[in-house]
């Protein structure tokens, strides 16, 4: 049984809704397991589609969508935070009933950082065999003053402290887990990525943008740092261009006003969210380089996608991102928070065609190992066998 959250087109079609795609790595994993019938798979997830408890069977998987919150107006929910105040007791009760009915051999928890589903595991830790695959660490978010972030961090930390089996894909992840847990067992596997259909050819001169930011627009992903770096770059390259692609999770008017204050409003274009990843990829390859100054992460999927598509990448040296250079120099790293460093590397890559091509070629080699879906399925299947028996 998987405990996770996600949204995709197939479930949207079933409910006749238009919920934005969520957790594409889970959607890709669903596709892999739908193509195999080695396991009886149940997926338990909050219902973002109509907030009702529904069980449906599609192809090889049985989905158990549960009512995710008390029926309160959204604005009241935001201010009262009834779920946090109740420690997600509704979720724990509903998910507990579902799991007692399924009686799974293994519960695979995908991420501990989202209490809307992960909190339900806390009463079950000593009752079932559990594998927790780390998606990221909300406890590493520098914005710990935010009360929701603070609550999510507490739930995440408590889960990591209590669970024994961890799905990991980087050494940095192992080190973070060891800081919370004295005796963890590590099982290595990747998450499947959406293999881009759009590939940038070497020395492609048909580019519309110098730089692309391709990620969620949020403070922790460093969009403000990048805008300030573009301001510095403009002093040397007046026609510098940046396209920003991704779901907006902060005040877009604030970012546009910041562009005006920095006098880069004509250099930056906000494209927003693309419902289809492949459509987003078509836009991404119109840029020469990708820049993602995220303040914390494991390895962002959009970095790997851009490397696979043929874009050299600049990123802050945080989390497991430096591990991408362990076998070859596949990515340009900058010290976290160094806006001057970002601007210098952007100028360097834009001016040095040979370096850009070298990073592109080595980045593609490194990224390809993350798109082997059969290997991912084999790894996870083997892990299930080891934990179950």
């Amino acid at each position: 049984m998987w405990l996770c959250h996600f949204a995709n087109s197939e479930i949207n079609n079933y409910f006749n809704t238009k919920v934005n795609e969520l957790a594409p790595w889970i959607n890709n994993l669903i596709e892999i397991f739908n193509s195999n019938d080695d396991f009886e798979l149940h997926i338990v997830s909050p219902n973002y589609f109509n907030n009702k408890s529904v069980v449906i069977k599609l192809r090889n998987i049985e989905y158990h969508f549960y009512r995710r919150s008390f029926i309160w107006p959204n604005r009241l929910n935001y201010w009262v935070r009834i779920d946090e105040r109740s420690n997600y007791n509704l979720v724990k009760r509903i998910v507990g009933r579902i799991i007692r009915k399924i009686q799974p051999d293994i519960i695979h928890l995908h991420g501990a950082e989202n209490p809307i589903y992960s909190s339900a595991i806390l009463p079950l830790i000593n009752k079932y065999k559990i594998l927790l695959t780390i998606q990221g660490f909300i406890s590493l978010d520098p914005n710990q003053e935010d009360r929701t972030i603070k609550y999510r961090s507490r739930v995440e930390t408590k889960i990591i402290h209590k669970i024994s089996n961890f799905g990991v894909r980087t050494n940095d992840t192992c080190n973070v887990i060891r800081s919370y847990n004295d005796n963890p067992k590590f099982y290595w596997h990747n998450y499947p990525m959406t293999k881009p259909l759009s590939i940038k050819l070497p020395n492609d001169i048909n580019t519309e943008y110098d730089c692309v930011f391709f990620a969620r627009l949020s403070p922790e992903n460093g969009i403000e740092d990048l805008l300030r770096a573009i301001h510095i770059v403009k002093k040397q390259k007046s026609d510098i261009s940046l396209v920003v692609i991704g779901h907006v999770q902060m005040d877009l008017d604030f970012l546009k006003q910041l562009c005006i204050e920095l006098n880069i409003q004509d250099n930056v274009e906000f494209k927003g969210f693309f419902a289809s990843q492949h459509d987003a990829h078509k836009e991404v390859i119109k840029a020469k380089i990708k820049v993602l100054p995220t303040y914390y992460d494991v390895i962002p999927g959009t970095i790997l996608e851009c490397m696979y598509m043929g874009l050299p990448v600049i990123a802050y040296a945080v989390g497991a991102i430096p591990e991408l250079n362990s076998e070859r120099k596949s990515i340009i790293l900058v010290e976290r928070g160094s806006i001057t460093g970002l601007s210098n590397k952007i100028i360097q890559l834009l001016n040095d065609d040979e370096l850009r091509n070298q990073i592109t070629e080595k980045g593609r080699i490194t990224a390809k190992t993350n798109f082997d879906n059969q290997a991912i399925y084999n790894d996870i299947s083997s892990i299930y066998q080891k934990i179950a028996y």
Side-chain angles (χ1 to χ4, degrees):
M1 190 209 86
W2 294 357
L3 183 57
C4 59
H5 71 171
F6 73 99
N8 61 35
S9 59
E10 183 176 39
I11 307 300
N12 267 316
N13 291 337
Y14 181 89
F15 286 109
N16 193 27
T17 53
K18 294 183 179 180
V19 178
N20 285 339
E21 183 181 83
L22 173 66
W25 54 93
I26 298 295
N27 295 325
N28 292 333
L29 202 59
I30 287 172
E31 286 298 315
I32 294 175
F33 275 77
N34 252 324
S35 302
N36 296 273
D37 57 3
D38 300 324
F39 302 92
E40 177 188 331
L41 179 59
H42 298 258
I43 298 180
V44 178
S45 174
N47 189 335
Y48 295 114
F49 307 93
N50 61 15
N51 199 27
K52 296 180 180 179
S53 293
V54 181
V55 179
I56 62 176
K57 179 72 179 287
L58 295 175
R59 293 182 284 173
N60 293 328
I61 299 175
E62 190 166 287
Y63 298 87
H64 304 255
F65 293 106
Y66 60 85
R67 181 159 64 96
R68 68 185 187 277
S69 65
F70 292 97
I71 307 301
W72 294 69
N74 286 336
R75 184 173 297 178
L76 188 60
N77 251 336
Y78 176 80
W79 290 109
V80 176
R81 299 178 187 268
I82 187 65
D83 294 316
E84 292 178 15
R85 290 177 181 272
S86 66
N87 287 319
Y88 284 86
N89 281 331
L90 177 67
V91 169
K92 291 175 182 176
R93 291 201 307 270
I94 293 176
V95 173
R97 286 198 298 268
I98 294 171
I99 291 175
R100 285 193 296 272
K101 183 176 180 181
I102 297 173
Q103 286 297 309
D105 296 306
I106 295 175
I107 298 175
H108 189 170
L109 173 62
H110 295 273
E113 72 278 15
N114 297 301
I116 195 169
Y117 65 89
S118 64
S119 59
I121 206 71
L122 287 168
L124 308 171
I125 287 176
N126 296 322
K127 299 177 182 178
Y128 296 91
K129 295 177 180 178
I130 299 170
L131 170 69
L132 165 59
T133 292
I134 298 297
Q135 299 178 144
F137 295 102
I138 195 69
S139 54
L140 298 182
D141 189 330
N143 188 24
Q144 291 296 320
E145 296 304 314
D146 181 273
R147 58 180 178 174
T148 294
I149 297 295
K150 189 179 297 184
Y151 180 86
R152 291 174 62 192
S153 296
R154 287 201 303 269
V155 173
E156 175 186 77
T157 301
K158 186 180 296 185
I159 293 171
I160 294 175
H161 177 72
K162 291 177 176 292
I163 279 181
S164 299
N165 302 311
F166 295 89
V168 297
R169 59 190 186 279
T170 70
N171 290 313
D172 179 74
T173 299
C174 298
N175 293 333
V176 174
I177 292 171
R178 289 190 186 101
S179 69
Y180 296 116
N181 190 305
D182 293 332
N183 192 30
K185 296 178 182 177
F186 296 127
Y187 298 89
W188 290 74
H189 74 85
N190 284 326
Y191 270 128
M193 310 294 297
T194 300
K195 184 176 288 188
L197 302 178
S198 303
I199 302 296
K200 193 175 185 67
L201 299 175
N203 300 314
D204 187 351
I205 61 173
N206 297 315
T207 55
E208 295 184 22
Y209 315 104
D210 293 312
C211 307
V212 59
F213 176 96
F214 178 35
R216 288 180 297 107
L217 270 71
S218 59
E220 66 270 17
N221 275 338
I223 180 61
E224 294 174 56
D225 286 15
L226 178 54
L227 294 179
R228 296 183 189 281
I230 293 297
H231 167 70
I232 297 174
V233 173
K234 186 175 179 178
K235 296 175 182 179
Q236 294 189 37
K237 180 176 169 55
S238 61
D239 62 345
I240 182 69
S241 57
L242 166 69
V243 61
V244 180
I245 299 172
H247 179 60
V248 181
Q249 289 190 326
M250 59 186 299
D251 188 346
L252 184 57
D253 289 336
F254 165 77
L255 293 177
K256 291 182 176 179
Q257 182 59 39
L258 179 60
C259 289
I260 293 173
E261 293 173 6
L262 296 172
N263 192 31
I264 57 171
Q265 66 271 22
D266 295 330
N267 303 87
V268 181
E269 184 174 353
F270 293 93
K271 288 284 187 175
F273 176 78
F274 285 74
S276 163
Q277 277 188 286
H278 291 305
D279 287 341
H281 292 160
K282 290 177 184 177
E283 195 68 22
V284 167
I285 64 167
K286 295 177 182 178
K288 290 182 180 179
I289 61 177
K290 177 214 168 78
V291 188
L292 181 57
T294 184
Y295 269 67
Y296 76 97
D297 211 322
V298 181
I299 295 179
T302 59
I303 284 183
L304 294 171
E305 290 167 20
C306 287
M307 290 166 63
Y308 184 90
M309 286 188 285
L311 274 76
V313 178
I314 301 172
Y316 281 158
V318 298
I321 294 175
E323 294 181 35
L324 293 171
N325 283 345
S326 59
E327 294 186 18
R328 60 191 70 85
K329 188 172 182 178
S330 306
I331 186 171
I332 300 294
L333 298 174
V334 176
E335 181 183 355
R336 185 174 77 170
S338 176
I339 296 172
T340 301
L342 275 182
S343 61
N344 288 341
K345 292 302 181 183
I346 290 171
I347 293 170
Q348 181 186 18
L349 267 187
L350 291 178
N351 290 339
D352 192 334
D353 292 346
E354 183 178 351
L355 176 61
R356 216 164 52 241
N357 290 335
Q358 288 176 359
I359 297 297
T360 296
E361 181 181 353
K362 293 175 181 177
R364 270 191 176 135
I365 296 171
T366 299
K368 282 182 178 179
T369 60
N370 290 272
F371 294 88
D372 188 339
N373 288 353
Q374 187 58 50
I376 292 170
Y377 178 79
N378 292 341
D379 289 341
I380 295 176
S381 299
S382 175
I383 292 168
Y384 289 168
Q385 298 289 340
K386 291 175 182 176
I387 293 176
Y389 303 108

